Amino acid sequence: MRRLFGSVRARATLGATLVVAVALVAAGAAVLLSLRSNLIGEAGTQAERSARAVASEVAAGTPYGKLSGLDGDDGPVQVLDEHGRLVAASEDLEKISGTGSGQVKPQPAVKPTGDDDDADDVGEALEPGEISGESVFSNGSATIDGDAEDYRFAAVEVETQDRGHLRVYAGSPLAAEHGAVRTALTVMLIGFPLLLGVVAAVTWLVTRRALRPVEGIRREMAAITHSEDLARRVPEPDTHDEIARLASTTNETLAALETSVERQRRFVADASHELRSPIASLRTQLEVAAAHPELLDLDGAVEDTVRLQRLAADLLLLARLDAGERPNDAKVDLAGLAREAVEGRTGVTVDAEPVEVAGSRGQLGRVLANLLDNAQRHARSAVTVTVRSEGARAVVGVADDGDGVPEDDREQIFERFVRLDAARSRDDGGAGLGLAIARDVAVRHGGTLTAGRGPAGGALFELRLPLA
């Protein structure tokens, strides 16, 4: 059963069919009840009309034998006296139920005495010749001349001058009501299953057509997973609906995943290349020193070791950032942090006003250190650090008086392992990770890091962060 209804199409078809079935059953029951009630009401009206016609003749003093309603053509009629005795009945009446008396043959009348304690309750007090304004209805059956049918009976009371208080029962057949209800029920029993079958078939076909693009997306995703070719994309249906938006979002996710994987591949390749140079240089120096101790370049070995240590630290930090490491919410005084960052550096001036931001003091200090390293590497003589607030953001500027960054390269320098030609020497240039790390940290703190032209014509790097 679980496998049978394991698809969205099967569950949608079942759900739609059940909803329509419940609605049809409820509507059919309401129609049958309404039809039966209306037909019974019409039969009751007809019975009341017949009962009042007979009551009018009785009130006018017409003898029982000459009452026009006793021919049995319009239905069974009974006239009972106040003691419940049958005093008049339809011709050929053989059996009756549902009225005040099951008698079919008239009984001798008893002259009313007015003080008979055994008399039945005669209902409301009426004047001689008056007919009751209310009718009492009941259901029963009667057999007339061998034909048995169900009837709707109406009872009307009448007061006569010489025959006392009488009650007239007249019946109207319910054959039409039974026939109409049976016909309607038959139509429903035949039509409802056919209608449910049509609903199920239409729902199945419409759902299959609607979900066909989803199956195409699934197959393509399975093929992409099997082939590991992230350049492929799932088909996007031209329907502008939820499925089309799902396909579009899936392709955007695939594009982002492809970019991320490609970035990781380049990162691994570039990291391997950057690590190979200092390791090879250090190994060469150590091998030479082992063979000829007098030729040991100790300063060069220390320099290569420091470079290797810094590169490893940068790679570890980038790995943590790529893994989604989030900064804490501690308050950081950027002015104090800037003054700490310039300690021990020559040719650097600080113009800072107290500004606080929320984030990691260590990571923000790393940003300032990277920016200062970059500025001092390219400055001719002076580097300026400014800290100020602009609206709801803190702005840290690091400017130098060097040649600056060409406008076309101002975004490229923030990519990993990217170094401009002037920065590619082992002595002066880094591994091309400092600015990339600085921008990643800025973004994870909800800020930005941009490159521009400084007041002295050199490069100006501006770090903008939300105020705490």
Side-chain angles (χ1 to χ4, degrees):
M1 183 64 69
R2 178 177 296 180
R3 185 174 181 180
L4 179 61
F5 296 104
S7 66
V8 175
R9 181 169 51 183
R11 291 195 297 270
T13 302
L14 177 62
T17 305
L18 289 178
V19 169
V20 174
V22 172
L24 289 177
V25 170
V31 169
L32 291 177
L33 291 176
S34 177
L35 177 63
R36 185 173 182 275
S37 176
N38 290 336
L39 292 176
I40 289 178
E42 292 180 5
T45 301
Q46 181 62 37
E48 182 181 18
R49 188 181 298 115
S50 300
R52 291 191 177 276
V54 174
S56 297
E57 294 182 7
V58 172
T62 303
Y64 296 135
K66 296 183 178 181
L67 294 175
S68 61
L70 302 183
D71 53 11
D73 294 337
D74 296 330
V77 174
Q78 283 184 316
V79 180
L80 307 179
D81 63 12
E82 60 190 42
H83 299 282
R85 297 183 180 90
L86 181 67
V87 295
S90 298
E91 299 176 0
D92 301 324
L93 180 62
E94 300 175 3
K95 188 177 180 181
I96 192 169
S97 64
T99 62
S101 173
Q103 303 173 26
V104 296
K105 298 298 182 182
Q107 303 294 318
V110 178
K111 184 177 181 180
T113 59
D115 58 352
D116 191 351
D117 295 337
D118 296 332
D120 293 337
D121 182 12
V122 296
E124 60 179 303
L126 301 173
E127 297 295 331
E130 184 180 359
I131 301 174
S132 172
E134 296 182 359
S135 301
V136 179
F137 297 94
S138 60
N139 292 334
S141 62
T143 302
I144 300 177
D145 197 17
D147 295 330
E149 288 189 42
D150 293 330
Y151 288 88
R152 178 71 167 172
F153 291 100
V156 177
E157 296 182 353
V158 58
E159 187 72 29
T160 62
Q161 184 72 33
D162 55 349
R163 287 174 283 190
H165 193 90
L166 302 177
R167 179 173 294 179
V168 179
Y169 286 92
S172 177
L174 293 176
E177 178 264 339
H178 292 330
V181 171
R182 280 195 298 269
T183 301
L185 182 59
T186 301
V187 171
M188 291 179 183
L189 291 177
I190 296 175
F192 282 7
L194 295 177
L195 182 58
L196 289 177
V198 172
V199 170
V202 171
T203 304
W204 179 268
L205 294 176
V206 171
T207 308
R208 183 179 66 177
R209 182 178 180 83
L211 294 179
R212 187 177 300 163
V214 177
E215 179 61 22
I217 294 172
R218 187 202 65 79
R219 286 197 301 265
E220 187 63 25
M221 285 296 293
I224 292 173
T225 303
H226 180 73
S227 65
E228 298 182 358
D229 183 7
L230 295 178
R232 299 174 62 173
R233 297 292 181 264
V234 300
E236 296 186 20
D238 190 20
T239 54
H240 306 288
D241 56 7
E242 291 83 355
I243 297 177
R245 291 194 290 272
L246 171 64
S248 176
T249 303
T250 302
N251 284 333
E252 292 175 1
T253 303
L254 288 173
L257 183 60
E258 181 185 14
T259 302
S260 177
V261 170
E262 184 61 29
R263 184 181 183 185
Q264 290 296 326
R265 288 173 179 170
R266 289 199 307 267
F267 176 77
V268 172
D270 292 338
S272 300
H273 176 75
E274 292 294 335
L275 287 171
R276 187 183 301 116
S277 297
I279 292 175
S281 176
L282 184 59
R283 177 181 177 180
T284 300
Q285 295 181 57
L286 292 176
E287 288 176 348
V288 170
H292 305 283
E294 69 278 3
L295 299 179
L296 174 62
D297 183 7
L298 186 59
D299 294 336
V302 172
E303 183 180 345
D304 285 337
T305 303
V306 171
R307 183 184 177 200
L308 186 60
Q309 181 183 11
R310 290 177 179 175
L311 181 57
D314 288 343
L315 293 176
L316 289 174
L317 178 56
L318 283 174
R320 293 201 305 269
L321 293 176
D322 289 342
E325 180 179 299
R326 306 297 300 178
N328 53 41
D329 295 330
K331 290 186 178 181
V332 180
D333 179 13
L334 287 181
L337 193 63
R339 293 188 182 94
E340 291 179 9
V342 301
E343 288 182 0
R345 296 177 184 264
T346 60
V348 181
T349 59
V350 178
D351 180 14
E353 63 181 57
V355 175
E356 286 188 342
V357 296
S360 169
R361 182 179 181 84
Q363 291 185 10
L364 294 177
R366 183 66 175 275
V367 172
L368 288 174
N370 289 354
L371 294 178
L372 286 170
D373 290 342
N374 180 78
Q376 287 188 301
R377 186 180 300 120
H378 297 89
R380 291 189 178 93
S381 59
V383 175
T384 303
V385 179
T386 59
V387 180
R388 68 186 187 279
S389 62
E390 288 185 2
R393 288 189 171 265
V395 181
V396 179
V398 178
D400 61 66
D401 58 354
D403 295 332
V405 182
E407 187 174 353
D408 294 340
D409 297 328
R410 289 177 183 174
E411 282 299 316
Q412 183 184 0
I413 58 176
F414 291 107
E415 296 180 8
R416 299 177 182 182
F417 298 104
V418 170
R419 292 172 295 181
L420 301 183
D421 292 340
R424 290 191 180 274
S425 68
R426 197 188 81 171
D427 296 333
D428 297 331
L433 294 177
L435 293 179
I437 291 174
R439 172 166 277 189
D440 282 354
V441 172
V443 170
R444 279 164 174 76
H445 280 75
T448 60
L449 177 61
T450 58
R453 188 174 184 83
L460 171 63
F461 290 87
E462 285 191 334
L463 172 65
R464 297 177 180 269
L465 299 171
L467 291 174

